[in-house]
Amino acid sequence: MTIAAGLWIGFDPGRDKCGLALMEAQTGQILEHRILASTEAIAELETLFQTRSPQLLVLGNQTTSRQWQAQLSALPSAPPIALVDERNSTLQARDRYWQMYPARGWRRLLPKGLRQPPRPVDDLVAILLLERYRAQL
């Protein structure tokens, strides 16, 4: 099956903060990723829906996803929503952080299991959700 060109949004919802990632569906290229305050997420997504016209919103299926799914699907310009299993995604995102931003200085001497990224990784979780969905197709 060939994946049609277009924009997919990955969204990792949370109580305090959310991860957001934009992917070019056909190539799998990540165009952008960032972390948003949960209070700003709906407005930001609504703006993205209107300005970028994504073909799909990929959402993690744990924690608060049902509430988020209901709010997002009610937006007039919302794309279809696909739920993806997000189990172990935070652990994978920590590993991905160190792949993207290799440890330097004394941190590189720590075993990988003891390293903690110096920032939240919710945006990387959103990337992983997109990659998991794409791998399912």
Side-chain angles (χ1 to χ4, degrees), residues 53-111:
S53 301
Q55 281 67 49
L56 184 69
L57 175 67
V58 178
L59 183 67
N61 68 351
Q62 301 289 308
T63 321
T64 60
S65 69
R66 286 208 171 135
Q67 296 144 349
W68 283 98
Q69 184 179 10
Q71 288 180 57
L72 293 169
S73 61
L75 296 174
S77 54
I81 296 174
L83 294 178
V84 176
D85 183 8
E86 66 175 305
R87 283 180 282 180
N88 298 317
S89 58
T90 301
L91 293 174
Q92 276 189 297
R94 287 179 187 160
D95 289 342
R96 177 69 62 92
Y97 176 87
W98 294 114
Q99 290 172 4
M100 293 171 71
Y101 311 102
R104 295 178 182 223
W106 63 271
R107 287 183 197 251
R108 64 184 165 79
L109 301 175
L110 286 174

Side-chain angles (χ1 to χ4, degrees), residues 3-10 22-26 31 48-58 77-82 130 133:
I3 299 171
L7 179 72
W8 290 354
I9 297 177
L22 279 60
M23 172 189 273
E24 203 302 309
Q26 191 171 24
L31 306 173
L48 284 171
F49 295 165
Q50 292 172 359
T51 60
R52 304 289 295 268
S53 301
Q55 281 67 49
L56 184 69
L57 175 67
V58 178
S77 54
I81 296 174
L130 286 165
Y133 181 79

Side-chain angles (χ1 to χ4, degrees), residues 11-20 34-42 45 59 63-65 68 86 90 94 117-126:
F11 184 61
D12 176 41
R15 286 181 179 82
D16 300 320
K17 59 189 177 327
C18 302
L20 179 73
R34 62 183 184 269
I35 297 172
L36 309 167
S38 294
T39 56
E40 300 169 1
I42 295 290
L45 284 166
L59 183 67
T63 321
T64 60
S65 69
W68 283 98
E86 66 175 305
T90 301
R94 287 179 187 160
R119 67 165 186 85
V121 293
D122 302 74
D123 57 332
L124 304 183
V125 171

